[in-house]
Each structure stands twice: as structure tokens, then as C-alpha cells.
Amino acid sequence: MTEAQEAPGLPRAYDPAVVENGIYERWLAADVFAPDGAGNRARPGAEPFVIIQPPPNVTGALHVGHAFTADMEDVMVRHARMNGRPTLWLPGLDHASIAAQVVLDRILDGEGESRASLGRERYLERMWAFVNTTRETIIRQSRRFGSSLDWDRLRFTMDETSSKAVRTAFARLYTDGLAYRTEALANWCAGCQTTVSDLEVVPTPETGTLWTIRYHVVESDGTVRPDRWIEIATTRPETLLGDVAVAVHPNDPRYRDLLGVNVLIPFVERVVPVINDPVVRLDFGTGAVKITPAHDPEDYATGRRHDLPMINVFDDAGRINENGNGYAGLGLAEARRRILAELEVRGDLVGAVPHEMLIGRCQRSNDVIEPRLKTQWFIRTKPLAERALEATRSGRTMILPEHFEKVWEHWLTEIRDWNVSRQLWWGHRIPAWYCPDGHITVTADPAGPSACETCQRPVATLRQDDDIFDTWFSSGLWPFSTLGWPDDTDDLRRYYPNSVLETGYDIIFFWVARMMMLGIHFTGQAPFHTVYLHGMVRDAIGKKMSKTTGNVVDPLEAIDEIGADALRFALVNGTSAGNDQKLAAERLESARNFGNKLWNAARFVLGARPATIARDGARVAPDPDELGPAERWIRSRTAATTAAVNRAIADYAFGEATRILYDAVWSELCDWGLELAKVRLTDTSLSSAAREATWWTLVEALDTNLRLLHPFMPFLTEAIWTATPHGLDDPELLIVADWPGPDVATRRDEAAETEVGVVIDLVRGIRNARSEAHVEPSTWLPVDLVGDPAAAGAAEALRPALERLARIRPLTIHSTRAAFLAATGGAGLSVIGSGWEAVVGRVSAEAADADLIALDRQRLERELQTTRGLLAAARARLANEAFVGKAPAPVVEGARVRTAELADQVARLEERLKP
RNA sequence: GGGCGGUUAGCUCAGUUGGUCAGAGCGCCUCGUUUACACCGAGGAAGUCACUGGUUCGAGUCCAGUACCGCCCACCA
């Protein structure tokens, strides 16, 4: 038992730390997170709800983006759980091979160690120790967020089940002809000492130089012509060591006479042809391009077209290799300087102009990415992509927000093969073995092959590939590897395909596309029916959060300050799918204030229990015979809120749902519902049955709002709910209580909404008049009222509330306008609404009434002016034959009613203003 | 070079299928010790919904174009 359970009500002050304390443990103890947990009240036969979350990298603590991700997912999961569906939300961690190595290398660097100094084995030991601590940090954080994850299923992309899936998947791709090994141009990061995929290369603007260099013509007898040359333009002079041709455009008249001749590449003294190829642009540089197939994607393509040799001139460390003759061993920058200097001396460097260009940099280390020829494993993506596209085109998988489908289409249509080899240590080793003859053997067997598949050489002569897989290869298997695939498990049958994938749009290609492609290939089914993409959390001025900029919001700090509920509410409220959000302090504050408001409203409700109701009794529905208009109004509005929230959630419009709830709790329940209820609760002239009905109405409204808010503010709502009377069918914990059902809808009551609507208008009008006339708020004023039967009836039915909320007494309701006019004699403050008219009299005992009346006249003049304007517009609309003829009948009718109301108000105002 | 998103009150943003949709919060101004809440209550001021055309009886809401801002994709030396 917690304090909250024992306390008769709630502590006076809302303290998030106290509220959150112990609740997560209660959920855990009740075993409600697992789809088949003992405390989970899933309906038998209900369709499971399975959500996929991006497993966070084990590289460190979670940031506010993770908190937002977890929040969105928890909202969906809690909503589904309360709707009686078995929910599976599986916690996981990603080994993030390259990201993890970058982080660990940085730590090692601080200790004077390095990857090289430790060696593979000790390095990996060190990595395991590192991830074992970050894993604990991440789990602790997730719990503080309130994430209702099924912790018994915690998975890691480096655990054995994942390894098995990776080996099996790769072996099958190989068998299916979708994995192949070849030498091709790859993106080499010298800092990370590995290749990376195209997605990991970030084009970065840089001001470089475009140099013009002369290559001299070589005669057929081998003599070099000092007076005849071709001028090429390049931004990378050091790559000339690998040049194998010069290309010009076929239609370029400037170089007709040079076509087919040979030129000399200096320093390496290589004689290469001048070729033509339409890839060359006539209007750029000199119109002649050096071709370096081993170090430039476009040149590589050109080289393939012309069957040119490919000469690699860089080594792994980013230095010139032995093919660079005298430059071998030099760093690329140094080589460039020396080459330029020597060209200058020879008189062959003839131009240098600044040039804006894009340099590819490593997403992880920011090093310059060098395209190089490498022998790598690739996944043939075209056939996989086609099936992924088919899934979204057919609607079997839906992407939200929809406009991401275009991005999706484009990328998958233009997809290139995926280099999955990485020359890293931390990850899944590629299960491929090579025999001395170069035969390849791939197997999913953890023990490896027994012999070469092709030539049957014994295993002892085989060598396993040293490389590991791109980390996204194992993440791409996540939706089914976590359920036991490749084995045909109960979990797989029950929970695959998953329901919703929830993640940020920034990894749509890295992760979403790969899961779709691999999922469909291996299971025959798209892994989820809905892909919900959320936006990025940015700082207060819209900048990307980053540790180096120092503008990050630490979720734990925010939770310490304002509580997990407020942080969660702030992250969801006012946001929509796919759109970035700015996390400003005021949004956090607003959410915290809302939590405080709810807390205090609950305190009031619980504290207002009539003495005739037993403290520990079960919650009962209010007695229908004892309900007044205010009670029926509260029930009706709560029903409307429920419907609106349901609609919003069905549309995945969670930011809309919180907005509705914020408004419902603050503006409706608190500002009017509770204030109206106070009138009856404190009215000792009423029967106790009437007062009990009022109280049960409030409890019911509070209860419904708590249920609706629970997915968004789980701790706070659970804490309040614990202190709230429960129905006999209710469980002990709100987390597994039923979502407000269809019976709530039957509480809509148009008549009550109209009645209370009149009273609200009256109270507002009178308060407004009082305020404008600077009447002391504490002064009670007499009011005369006349109105149509509906308005008069409403005022009569809610007379005590009207009196109290507008602070008026006595209230005289006249049955005829003549009587009303006779009684008021034109004195006092006028308040005019639709269907009624009131005069607030005896404004002040001391001050000169004349002044106040003059002030009031000014207010009425302004009101008359605006009302006349509205009336004129409304009349003009009705005078338009096209409108009356073409607009739908209800719209026209509405305009007529509106016009009549306005005319009525104008008439009354004019009358009041008659001298 | 292609594509996408944004541009609504001083600030941060909502506005579902075109018809009380011109809104909310914060900020600002005036009041307020009414027994849930000053992390509050009551009232108020404030926007030609980026611009230009078009469709329509009617357009922040649909279409076309323009201007800024942001993002994504792309082999231009």
C-alpha cells in the first residue's frame, strides 16, 4: 500500500516526485505490461496490438528525442491496453556498431588507448563492459518516462537470437542470389577505418578550388610535345595519380583534333587516351575532365563504359599508396600541395579559382569520405524494393503522414545496392568463408562450414571474412527476429505482422525501408500495417539539439523539475505527425500547470463528498431522477469530450487529443462544471439525494477524464484514480481500467447544453458589464431579466447558480417585456443576448450612477456597432440569390436564424440607447 | 538540379471532409485574499490567416504561380 492509497484524499500540493513515487513499481508488481500478464485484462480473442519502437543505441543516455518516441508509443500502447487488446511493446537496444565504436574510441582516446593498442579481443571485452552499463542507464530512464514496456522480453541486437537471425537471413539472401561479393566503388571513412553506405555520407558544402592543369600530348612514337596539351579542370589534383583517361564531350569543337590522341599523366608517367563521353559538360571548367575510376563515382561509371583500367592510389589510412610513385606514403593533403607545387614549376598549373562544392563527410566521425575500390558484400535491393513499394501502393502498409509516401516512392524506385560489409569489430561477423581458390561458402550454422561448398577443401584451409555487417542489417530484421524468427514460434504466429511502427522520419530509409524489404522477403508479409513517423524535437528557436551546441534538453532533468507527466504532455500537446516541434520552456510550464490544475480539481471533487456518502463505498452512477441541468450538462460535455478524443486517436492525431482534453478539463469541467456543482453541493435546502447525485456526477466526470488522460499522463492520473471511488467492475489500477465505452455517448443531452449555455452567456454578459463599469467584484447587484420561454426557463431552473456565479441578488425574472421595462425604467447596466435581455441595477451605492451609466452607454454603443456590422453582412448573404439557391438548406436556415437573432439584438440595443 | 514541409494575434502553435474557424497557451492591460488551484480566478486589447491570380453562392481551408524559411534526395569534374 502506498501513501496515496491510505490517504483519505490527495496531498495538498501537487508534487510530481511524490506522485510518481512507487507507481511504476505497482504496475510492475501487477504484471500488466506483458500481453498475457496476470494483471492484464485483455479481452479474450481481442486482436493483439503490437508496436515497434526503434531500439535506442547503446551508446549512452537517452535524450529528449528518445523520450518523445517512447511517449508516442506508450500513448498508443496504453490506449490499446485500456481497450482490452493484448499489447506487445518490446524493449530493445541496438548495438549500433559504428556509432558505438566512435563513442568507445573517443573514451579510449582519453585514456591514452586505442583500438589498435587493445587489439580485437580486448577491444570487444571493453565494448561489452561499456554497453552493460549504458544498458542499465537506458532501462532506468525508460522507467522514469513511464514506458509500459514488456521488460521480460528485453532484446539486444547482439544477443544470440539476433545473431541467428542475421546468419540465417544472410545465408538465405545469398542462396536467393540477393547477396553478392564484388569489387566496387565504396565510401571509405579513414577515421572509422571502414566503408559506409551511401546513406551515411553527408554532403557538406565547402569552398574548394578548381584548378586547371595541362596534360601534354604524346605522339605515336612516344615523344612528349611540350607545345601541345589539353587543359583539364579538377578540384582534386592529387587523384591525377590514378588517372586513366581524359574525357571531352563528343560535340565539343574545341577538342575535335585531340580525340583519339594520347596524353601523359605526370609523375606516374602514364600515357592515357583522350576519349569522348556525353557525361562531360561543355560549359564547366575547360570542357575536359580527367578520369579517375577508382576514386570518383562518376569516373567509375565512365571507366566501366569505356572499359578503362581502375587504379587505386589511396590506402586505408588515407595516404597515397605504392601506385603513387614518389608520393607514396604522403597524406592526401600533403600530396596535393606537393603535386600542385611541382606542376607550377613545370608550368602546367595554369589556373586556380575558388569553387563552391559538396564534400562527402562521414555521418559519424565527420571525416572526409573517399570513394575507393573495395571488395565488399552487397545486397541486391531492386527486387526487394519492388515488393516494399507494392505493399505501400496497395495500401497494405500505410505511411503517416501521407506525404512521406512520395519520399518513400522516390528512394525505393531509385534505390542502389546496399553495401553491408563493414571493416569494424563490434557487430555480427559475416558468415562467409573463402577457400584458397576463391570459392565462397556461406552458412547460417554457428559452427561454420565443414568444407568448401564448391571444391570440398577441408575447413582448415578456409578463411572467414573479417568484416561485420552494417548495424542496420540486424535492425532490419528486428520486427521478426525479436519474435523468434527464423524458428516458427508461437510469438511469431501471434504477433507478426506487427500493428504499428512508430519512429522518427529521419530513419525512414536507414530502418523503415530495410525492415519492409527484409520483412517481406523473409516472411512474405509486410512487417506492419501502419508506419507512423514523428518529427524531430528541436530547441526553443528551432535548432537541432546537439551536445556540442549545448542546447539539449535532458529528459531526466526535466522530469526532476516538472515531472514525467508534464514532460510527456508537453511533447505531445500541439504536435502532429511528421512535423518538427520546438521545445520551449513555456510549453513545459503550460503542461506542468495543467497537471496542477487537474490535481486540484481532483482534490476539490474528492473533498466535496457529502457526509451522507460513505468514504470507502464503491462508485455508483448518479441517480437520474436527481440530476439538474448542470449535472446533465457535465455528463453531456464529458460524453462530447470522449467522442472527440476517440476521433482524434483514431486519426493518430494525438496532439489534437491532448488539446481537447486540456480544454475539457480546464475550461469546461473546472471553470463551469465545478463552479456550477458547488452551488448545489453547498445548498442545504436541497435533499441529500440531490447533493449526492451532484457529487457522483463530478466523480463520474473526473473518472472519465482520468481514463482519457491516462495514456498521456500516466503517473498523475493513476495517483488520482487510486484516491477516487471505483466502480464494482473496476480493477485496482487505472492502467488496466476500461477505456470509456459507448455508454458514455448516451449521456449527450442537447437540452441541458442549451439551458446551461444560456446561463453561461448570462453570467459572462453580466460579469463583462460589471467589469467595464468598474463595479466592485464583491458587490451584490439586483438584476431584472426578461427573455423567451427557453431563456427564462433556463434562468429559473438554474437561478441559484446564476445568482452565485454572476454575484447578483435578487434576480427578478419578468414574464413580459412591459413588466420588465416598467421595473427597470431604463436605469442600470444593460446586457443583451440572443433571446434575452437583462438590466443590472443599483450599480453603486455611493458613486454617481450617472457616471457609470455613461460608461455603460459607451459599451453598448460599441456593441451596437459591431452587431450592426454582423447583421449587415448576414443580410447581404441572404440577399444573394445564388447563396439561397445553391447552398445546402441547413446552411441557409442557419443563416436565417442567425440574421433574426442579430436583428433582435440590434433592436434591443437601439432601444436601450434611445435618449 | 529534383522533391517535400512551413509561412495564422508580440511569442509558440491548433484549425478534421470549403459554410459561427478567425482559435488556444504564454506574454500584455484592468480587477480579485468568493472555503480545489496565484502553477489561480474574472474581464479586456490584439491578426487584410506570406503574396498574386483562379475555381465557387461562399476559401487559412481547393487549384496555379511568386517570395522567403527549413528539410530530404541527387554521379556535376
Side-chain angles (χ1 to χ4, degrees):
Chain A
M1 287 281 263
T2 66
E3 266 180 38
Q5 274 177 304
E6 289 161 352
L10 296 166
R12 183 175 171 73
Y14 167 50
D15 180 347
V18 173
V19 165
E20 289 165 25
N21 186 35
I23 288 185
Y24 201 89
E25 287 68 25
R26 285 174 64 197
W27 291 330
L28 282 175
D31 192 10
V32 295
F33 293 164
D36 46 6
N40 193 311
R41 298 168 77 234
R43 284 194 315 274
E47 188 195 346
F49 178 82
V50 188
I51 193 161
I52 294 291
Q53 68 154 351
N57 288 353
V58 282
T59 47
L62 302 182
H63 53 67
V64 74
H66 290 114
F68 179 45
T69 305
D71 190 6
M72 295 300 297
E73 289 151 14
D74 200 37
V75 164
M76 291 187 227
V77 166
R78 285 178 187 269
H79 174 258
R81 187 185 291 118
M82 290 176 79
N83 276 283
R85 296 178 63 179
T87 54
L88 176 57
W89 184 23
L90 186 144
L93 295 158
D94 195 289
H95 67 284
S97 71
I98 185 164
Q101 286 204 199
V102 168
V103 171
L104 183 61
D105 288 359
R106 210 171 292 143
I107 293 171
L108 292 176
D109 190 51
E111 298 168 1
E113 295 280 356
S114 72
R115 226 193 284 179
S117 73
L118 289 181
R120 190 163 186 155
E121 198 173 324
R122 282 177 59 207
Y123 183 83
L124 289 179
E125 277 171 21
R126 186 60 205 272
M127 183 64 89
W128 274 109
F130 173 64
V131 303
N132 284 337
T133 54
T134 52
R135 181 205 324 258
E136 294 310 308
T137 306
I138 289 169
I139 292 172
R140 261 201 315 278
Q141 281 181 305
S142 294
R143 294 182 180 204
R144 290 219 54 199
F145 297 166
S147 303
S148 57
L149 288 152
D150 182 3
W151 291 106
D152 292 339
R153 292 174 189 263
L154 179 65
R155 293 294 150 83
F156 182 39
T157 53
M158 278 295 278
D159 59 28
E160 180 42 38
T161 54
S162 186
S163 290
K164 183 176 175 185
V166 165
R167 288 192 308 268
T168 308
F170 183 70
R172 275 189 52 182
L173 287 170
Y174 181 69
T175 310
D176 296 340
L178 294 173
Y180 63 95
R181 187 169 188 255
T182 191
E183 181 177 59
L185 209 59
N187 308 300
W188 179 257
C189 174
C192 300
Q193 286 289 296
T194 181
T195 58
V196 295
S197 69
D198 296 338
L199 283 174
E200 291 161 278
V201 181
V202 183
T204 314
E206 208 162 285
T207 304
T209 307
L210 185 65
W211 285 280
T212 305
I213 294 168
R214 282 177 183 163
Y215 286 172
H216 291 265
V217 168
V218 182
E219 300 290 0
S220 47
D221 62 1
T223 54
V224 178
R225 293 276 298 267
D227 57 338
R228 208 163 163 237
W229 58 69
I230 188 165
E231 292 182 353
I232 57 96
T234 181
T235 56
R236 305 208 53 192
E238 68 278 13
T239 63
L240 69 74
L241 301 169
D243 281 1
V244 294
V246 169
V248 297
H249 194 277
N251 302 335
D252 195 336
R254 290 174 291 181
Y255 300 113
R256 284 239 164 93
D257 54 332
L258 283 173
L259 265 179
V261 309
N262 290 327
V263 296
L264 183 75
I265 305 300
F267 314 122
V268 288
E269 309 303 321
R270 183 157 50 241
V271 177
V272 308
V274 175
I275 60 173
N276 67 29
D277 194 295
V279 76
V280 182
R281 271 183 41 180
L282 290 159
D283 58 349
F284 187 87
T286 60
V289 188
K290 63 197 255 337
I291 301 297
T292 324
H295 296 291
D296 180 275
E298 199 170 336
D299 290 3
Y300 179 76
T302 308
R304 296 281 294 250
R305 277 196 298 277
H306 295 264
D307 201 20
L308 299 170
M310 309 209 174
I311 302 167
N312 207 337
V313 293
F314 302 159
D315 67 12
D316 283 358
R319 287 187 295 265
I320 302 295
N321 69 12
E322 68 282 2
N323 293 331
N325 281 359
Y327 299 93
L330 291 182
L332 298 188
E334 176 62 12
R336 174 183 296 186
R337 269 194 297 277
R338 299 256 299 259
I339 284 172
L340 287 170
E342 291 179 42
L343 285 169
E344 177 94 66
V345 169
R346 296 175 179 213
D348 288 333
L349 180 62
V350 292
V353 291
H355 181 60
E356 297 306 319
M357 52 198 278
L358 293 173
I359 297 284
R361 286 184 176 273
C362 175
Q363 186 199 36
R364 290 296 164 192
S365 69
N366 203 39
D367 289 297
V368 173
I369 297 291
E370 295 292 349
R372 290 179 63 203
L373 283 177
K374 278 269 170 190
T375 300
Q376 303 274 290
W377 280 97
F378 290 84
I379 306 289
R380 209 182 299 283
T381 44
K382 261 271 178 310
L384 299 173
E386 275 165 18
R387 297 183 69 187
L389 283 168
E390 209 264 311
T392 49
R393 284 172 185 162
S394 68
R396 282 202 302 282
T397 296
M398 183 174 64
I399 299 180
L400 294 175
E402 281 174 15
H403 69 256
F404 275 101
E405 279 200 33
K406 285 193 178 174
V407 184
W408 174 263
E409 277 278 339
H410 180 256
W411 193 77
L412 283 169
T413 309
E414 304 291 320
I415 197 164
R416 283 185 287 168
D417 283 354
W418 176 17
N419 169 10
V420 288
S421 300
R422 294 292 177 275
Q423 293 69 53
L424 299 165
W425 291 348
W426 175 239
H428 297 285
R429 190 129 170 226
I430 295 175
W433 283 259
Y434 313 116
C435 84
D437 284 345
H439 300 139
I440 297 172
T441 304
V442 171
T443 175
D445 189 334
S450 50
C452 174
E453 209 169 59
T454 311
C455 63
Q456 312 310 322
R457 274 180 209 265
V459 66
T461 65
L462 306 185
R463 184 179 52 81
Q464 184 177 1
D465 199 314
D466 277 329
D467 289 353
I468 62 163
F469 284 107
D470 179 358
T471 196
W472 295 102
F473 186 70
S474 53
S475 331
L477 309 173
W478 187 255
F480 43 99
S481 68
T482 52
L483 297 174
W485 188 88
D487 296 331
D488 180 23
T489 63
D490 288 344
D491 274 0
L492 198 60
R493 279 194 298 269
R494 184 147 188 239
Y495 302 121
Y496 191 90
N498 311 143
S499 313
V500 176
L501 164 72
E502 200 286 334
T503 191
Y505 65 72
D506 55 332
I507 53 175
I508 184 170
F509 307 135
F510 279 111
W511 195 44
V512 185
R514 268 94 181 244
M515 282 190 288
M516 280 285 277
M517 293 193 290
L518 296 173
I520 294 171
H521 182 72
F522 291 119
T523 71
Q525 284 177 290
F528 14 73
H529 66 62
T530 299
V531 173
Y532 178 94
L533 299 167
H534 65 246
M536 302 295 110
V537 181
R538 296 172 176 279
D539 76 0
I541 55 169
K543 291 190 114 159
K544 200 167 182 170
M545 289 189 187
S546 84
K547 274 183 200 159
T548 44
T549 315
N551 58 348
V552 293
V553 172
D554 177 354
L556 288 195
E557 276 177 25
I559 289 172
D560 286 340
E561 210 174 315
I562 59 164
D565 296 299
L567 174 64
R568 294 177 51 141
F569 193 86
L571 286 169
V572 173
N573 193 28
T575 64
S576 48
N579 289 322
D580 292 356
Q581 59 170 305
K582 294 183 191 132
L583 188 57
E586 59 191 32
R587 286 184 55 213
L588 293 169
E589 241 171 74
S590 164
R592 188 235 3 220
N593 293 352
F594 178 60
N596 186 60
K597 186 74 178 177
L598 180 66
W599 178 263
N600 282 296
R603 272 201 327 121
F604 167 73
V605 171
L606 299 178
R609 177 174 48 82
T612 49
I613 296 175
R615 175 179 297 167
D616 297 324
R619 180 164 74 81
V620 297
D623 181 349
D625 296 335
E626 295 292 344
L627 296 177
E631 287 68 31
R632 287 186 285 115
W633 179 86
I634 291 169
R635 303 189 86 199
S636 184
R637 292 314 306 157
T638 308
T641 301
T642 304
V645 169
N646 281 336
R647 212 175 310 127
I649 291 180
D651 290 345
Y652 293 86
F654 302 105
E656 172 74 358
T658 53
R659 195 193 56 73
I660 291 163
L661 285 162
Y662 184 99
D663 221 47
V665 168
W666 205 307
S667 306
E668 293 192 335
L669 182 62
C670 291
D671 289 350
W672 293 104
L674 299 189
E675 295 308 319
L676 287 167
K678 281 176 186 175
V679 178
R680 291 226 319 182
L681 286 170
T682 55
D683 187 345
T684 46
S685 70
L686 287 175
S687 69
S688 61
R691 276 178 284 149
E692 287 179 14
T694 296
W695 191 69
W696 284 123
T697 300
L698 291 184
V699 172
E700 179 187 78
L702 176 64
D703 176 276
T704 303
N705 278 294
L706 289 174
R707 290 174 200 249
L708 296 175
L709 272 166
H710 182 259
F712 306 99
M713 310 185 96
F715 294 107
L716 177 58
T717 51
E718 186 74 82
I720 296 173
W721 204 71
T722 297
T724 308
H726 297 178
L728 291 171
D729 298 332
D730 283 327
E732 238 182 85
L733 290 167
L734 177 57
I735 189 174
V736 284
D738 292 337
W739 189 254
D743 59 306
V744 175
T746 64
R747 297 177 196 152
R748 277 312 286 274
D749 187 330
E750 295 295 339
E753 296 215 15
T754 306
E755 276 183 300
V756 174
V758 167
V759 169
I760 289 174
D761 283 349
L762 260 165
V763 169
R764 283 200 174 124
I766 294 168
R767 281 172 174 172
N768 182 347
R770 292 174 61 123
S771 172
E772 297 263 317
H774 301 293
V775 179
E776 286 285 313
S778 55
T779 313
W780 288 83
L781 297 175
V783 163
D784 290 277
L785 173 73
V786 68
D788 59 32
E796 189 55 61
L798 288 153
R799 173 186 287 272
L802 190 49
E803 289 178 345
R804 176 164 163 165
L805 298 185
R807 212 166 177 80
I808 54 174
R809 192 182 293 152
L811 168 65
T812 312
I813 302 173
H814 299 276
S815 51
T816 66
R817 192 162 156 73
F820 167 74
L821 290 174
T824 58
L829 312 174
S830 274
V831 185
I832 291 165
S834 67
W836 53 265
E837 181 176 2
V839 168
V840 184
R842 284 203 315 283
V843 169
S844 162
E846 304 87 25
D849 267 14
D851 288 355
L852 295 170
I853 300 300
L855 215 56
D856 192 50
R857 281 190 73 91
Q858 287 174 23
R859 177 179 62 83
L860 292 177
E861 297 275 9
R862 284 200 306 273
E863 206 174 313
L864 176 60
Q865 224 170 345
T866 53
T867 315
R868 271 182 179 153
L870 291 171
L871 177 61
R875 282 193 168 141
R877 202 174 173 204
L878 281 177
N880 186 343
E881 281 177 30
F883 171 70
V884 180
K886 293 188 178 179
V891 173
V892 177
E893 185 50 31
R896 287 222 170 86
V897 171
R898 176 85 177 127
T899 309
E901 279 175 9
L902 287 168
D904 179 57
Q905 283 182 39
V906 167
R908 287 169 193 265
L909 282 164
E910 282 171 343
E911 191 180 302
R912 288 300 302 181
L913 285 166
K914 261 191 288 192

